[in-house]
Amino acid sequence: MPNNNIDKQVPISSLPRHIAIIMDGNGRWAQRRGLPRSAGHKAGADAVERIVRACVELEIPVLTVYAFSTENWKRPAAEVSLLMQLLLEYLQRKVKIMATENIKICFLGERDNLPEKVKTAIERTEVYTQENTGLIFNIALNYGGQQEILHGVKEVAAAVAAGECALAGINQAFFAQHLYTKGLPEVDLMIRTSGEQRISNFLLWQMAYAELYFTETYWPDFDKEALLAAITAYGNRERRLGGLK
Ligand code: IPE
Ligand code: IPE
Ligand code: MG
């Protein structure tokens, strides 16, 4: 039985199987305190840790967080390298602990143009946790939804050209096997913090029928209670999926 205090409001059967989070507002959180943006990103890393733990406690099967988008390269080089550095530190400090909690960590996104150190760290992390059977914790890094779909299209086109599959056999389920999230359920609940109400190129395919939840809370302030509020709101939505009530 998941260790949570929402089972009175939300039946376990309506817990989301896959939660995706656009962790936004680190910079504004810092600015509001008269701190440099870097302080917001550091506080944001602590929030990630809290939410991962909460998802383990709630027995959420899949959590995907947006750590760095393909568009985030437009930021000043110093901020980009700080974000990469923070990710490396986070992995250094937390991977062993997460592994003992049976968490499987995966990275979604294009790896080629990441710094070598980051590439090595993410490969090691994936290998180290790949046999774990608890929470699947996806970190979207150098990730873009449009790029992911194009990547899948190219793989499928190459398979068709090589005669490995027939055009007629390509359906949604087949195509989904060519995305970074292959084998995972689609997103049930998408949370975006900081008051912005847009998707920003996140999981475009996987969010086709996600319930969207927007909160004014800046990411560094997002905690278990805030997560429970989102899950409760999700539990109260009527998901018709195109059908009737
Ligand atoms: C989210 O916070 C973190 C990343 C995008 C990496 P921001 O850095 O976007 O914070 P704001 O939106 O400027 O407040
Ligand atoms: C989205 O946040 C990307 C991540 C959280 C990693 P941004 O702050 O980059 O998004 P925009 O620019 O407001 O759309
Ligand atoms: Mg932002």
Side-chain angles (χ1 to χ4, degrees), residues 25-243:
N26 293 352
R28 281 162 285 163
W29 179 92
Q31 196 176 21
R32 196 186 251 185
R33 285 163 175 74
L35 298 169
R37 291 178 58 83
S38 57
H41 293 312
K42 284 176 192 153
D46 296 337
V48 174
E49 195 185 341
R50 284 199 297 273
I51 295 313
V52 169
R53 179 152 308 128
C55 286
V56 170
E57 286 170 14
L58 294 165
E59 295 183 10
I60 301 294
V62 186
L63 169 69
T64 303
V65 300
Y66 207 1
F68 191 87
S69 75
T70 44
E71 288 68 40
N72 287 145
W73 295 106
K74 293 176 194 162
R75 296 189 180 201
E79 177 156 339
V80 171
S81 64
L82 174 92
L83 288 167
M84 296 295 163
Q85 188 55 37
L86 285 176
L87 174 79
L88 286 173
E89 286 170 20
Y90 179 83
L91 295 177
Q92 254 160 23
R93 280 186 289 122
K94 301 295 168 204
V95 169
K96 278 205 173 131
I97 301 166
M98 287 194 278
T100 62
E101 290 168 342
N102 200 19
I103 298 171
K104 179 178 177 180
I105 307 170
C106 307
F107 288 83
L108 317 182
E110 184 50 60
R111 298 183 183 199
D112 284 350
N113 42 356
L114 287 171
E116 281 307 319
K117 269 186 179 172
V118 174
K119 266 194 266 187
T120 310
I122 69 181
E123 277 156 20
R124 277 199 193 138
T125 300
E126 286 185 334
V127 170
Y128 191 71
T129 64
Q130 69 180 349
E131 304 295 337
N132 291 348
T133 55
L135 174 71
I136 296 175
F137 174 38
N138 296 318
I139 301 176
L141 183 72
N142 193 20
Y143 174 87
Q146 292 182 333
Q147 290 84 340
E148 179 186 34
I149 292 169
L150 261 181
H151 179 261
V153 166
K154 287 182 183 172
E155 269 189 18
V156 171
V160 172
E164 290 160 13
C165 70
L167 203 53
I170 300 168
N171 56 20
Q172 279 122 302
F174 179 88
F175 184 68
Q177 294 308 307
H178 293 270
L179 297 172
Y180 298 125
T181 49
K182 58 174 169 281
L184 300 180
E186 290 196 355
V187 175
D188 288 321
L189 170 62
M190 192 290 291
I191 300 169
R192 183 170 190 151
T193 58
S194 88
E196 308 297 352
Q197 302 196 358
R198 55 178 167 268
I199 303 298
S200 298
N201 203 14
F202 194 35
L203 299 173
L204 299 178
W205 175 280
Q206 299 86 342
M207 295 208 297
Y209 252 110
E211 295 295 330
L212 309 181
Y213 180 87
F214 299 101
T215 170
E216 296 292 323
T217 305
Y218 292 139
W219 175 249
D221 290 329
F222 198 81
D223 57 10
K224 184 175 181 186
E225 203 183 325
L227 179 69
L228 291 175
I231 293 173
T232 302
Y234 167 85
N236 290 326
R237 303 264 179 101
E238 193 190 316
R239 300 191 83 195
R240 291 184 293 275
L241 307 175

